Amino acid sequence: MKERLTDALYGLGWSAVKKLPESAATGLGRTIADTAWKRRGKGVLRLESNLARVVPDAGPERLAELSQAGMRSYMRYWMESFRLPTWDQERVRRSVHINEVHRLTDGIASDRGVVLALPHMANYDLAGVWVTRALDTPFTTVAERLKPESLYDRFVAYRESLGMEVLPHVGGSAFGTLARRLREGGLVCLVADRDLSASGIEVKFFGETARMPAGPALLAQQTGALLLPVTLWYDDTEVMQGRVHPPVDVPETGTRAEKTSVMTQALADAYATGIAEHPEDWHMLQRLWLADLEEPRA
């Protein structure tokens, strides 16, 4: 019953929110965000706990302000995402500004293949649409299997309608397809700041140990593709900002595991830089650090 209700609510969002006037959708998102924040549910409490690591000097009042701003940012992501299928090319172009974008465009022009790796910041779906439309560059990504299956199908259909090739994140089949796309000079985009599987790479993140996926680093090693960290944020305008960070190079020495560890730590450091500058736009409402994963569960 819970899964069917979740699927129905997402379906309502995609069918109804995109029909609202923009001001009404913006107001609805803020109302939902503030209501959820005031209820102090486990997602809000976890967000606040995560932000306490990002801004260790913040007192309770500052953390509350950040978590409220974080929920508003999170709901802005959803309101934009529900409405993205109705945006024309010009609307997408003027809604995104990427700093140091030459690192991406030069990589695309080189036909070397590019892996973009980013954390759960601002609206990565909007950034993806901007890449397909403003840069006229298709790309491949992966999607985690969701329950119910109908909800997963909604997300895949939604992202494919925006010009993305979406692979299911199951087994090892996705990795092989991603590697082929990169060898063909293609672009791969991966959200890569949380991995709770046994294959996750341990990194130091804001002074504590967390796990992040090995995929971006392994793909760069195996295919010779350029690995670029990206961070995104909202400012006080309607334009989402972003930054393409310097590339993460494959170390010249070491085993594959050692190289993967060094490269994944470099990604984590780039994410930390962007998140520290814009903590309210990091939408991490789940457990991330190993110390939290080891907490007794109610």
Side-chain angles (χ1 to χ4, degrees):
M1 178 64 71
K2 181 180 179 180
E3 290 179 357
R4 289 198 297 270
L5 177 60
T6 300
D7 181 44
L9 288 173
Y10 278 106
L12 179 63
W14 269 300
S15 63
V17 172
K18 66 182 179 182
K19 298 177 182 178
L20 293 174
E22 186 147 351
S23 59
T26 300
L28 175 62
R30 176 160 291 206
T31 298
I32 294 172
D34 288 349
T35 300
W37 178 77
K38 290 175 183 176
R39 291 181 63 181
R40 309 289 291 164
K42 62 181 182 179
V44 173
L45 294 177
R46 179 55 55 188
L47 174 63
E48 214 160 276
S49 174
N50 291 339
L51 289 171
R53 266 117 165 177
V54 175
V55 191
D57 295 332
E61 185 175 344
R62 174 60 177 151
L63 282 176
E65 291 174 353
L66 281 173
S67 65
Q68 183 176 29
M71 291 304 296
R72 289 178 175 179
S73 174
Y74 185 46
M75 287 312 303
R76 175 173 172 176
Y77 159 76
W78 280 112
M79 292 298 110
E80 286 179 346
S81 295
F82 287 143
R83 296 171 62 79
L84 265 179
T86 69
W87 287 15
D88 60 24
Q89 185 163 320
E90 179 55 33
R91 174 64 190 276
V92 171
R93 283 179 181 273
R94 70 172 187 264
S95 296
V96 178
H97 176 259
I98 304 297
N99 299 275
E100 287 80 50
V101 73
H102 66 88
R103 292 177 175 139
L104 171 57
T105 54
D106 289 350
I108 293 171
S110 73
D111 289 330
R112 175 182 171 184
V114 178
V115 180
L116 289 182
L118 60 160
H120 289 80
M121 290 188 77
N123 192 337
Y124 40 87
D125 285 330
L126 174 56
V129 178
W130 183 85
V131 167
T132 62
R133 297 185 184 177
L135 300 185
D136 194 25
T137 302
F139 68 88
T140 305
T141 188
V142 297
E144 182 181 357
R145 282 283 183 185
L146 301 172
K147 292 183 179 181
E149 189 74 13
S150 56
L151 179 57
Y152 170 78
D153 291 340
R154 285 187 192 274
F155 273 96
V156 170
Y158 158 68
R159 291 188 168 122
E160 288 180 341
S161 74
L162 301 175
M164 311 175 193
E165 180 187 23
V166 183
L167 306 175
H169 189 271
V170 289
S173 59
F175 186 91
T177 303
L178 295 173
R180 285 195 297 274
R181 299 291 183 268
L182 291 168
R183 290 193 185 99
E184 294 164 356
L187 176 64
V188 165
C189 299
L190 301 171
V191 179
D193 59 342
R194 182 174 184 261
D195 187 342
L196 306 184
S197 71
S199 61
I201 304 299
E202 291 192 2
V203 296
K204 284 297 180 182
F205 195 54
F206 291 102
E208 295 189 45
T209 304
R211 287 197 193 103
M212 294 188 182
L218 289 173
L219 285 167
Q221 291 178 63
Q222 185 164 315
T223 67
L226 185 68
L227 176 55
L228 294 173
V230 177
T231 53
L232 305 168
W233 67 93
Y234 294 122
D235 57 17
D236 294 329
T237 72
E238 295 181 356
V239 179
M240 183 179 72
Q241 302 288 327
R243 179 189 175 199
V244 182
H245 294 255
V248 174
D249 296 324
V250 178
E252 294 182 0
T253 60
T255 64
R256 187 172 77 159
E258 290 169 342
K259 292 177 180 179
T260 301
S261 178
V262 170
M263 295 171 73
T264 306
Q265 182 63 61
L267 288 177
D269 292 343
Y271 300 160
T273 298
I275 292 168
E277 292 173 351
H278 307 281
E280 67 279 5
D281 292 316
W282 185 43
H283 305 154
M284 187 55 66
L285 280 70
Q286 300 85 25
R287 297 169 189 255
L288 176 70
W289 282 274
L290 299 193
D292 291 338
L293 296 172
E294 294 165 358
E295 289 179 358
R297 293 181 181 272

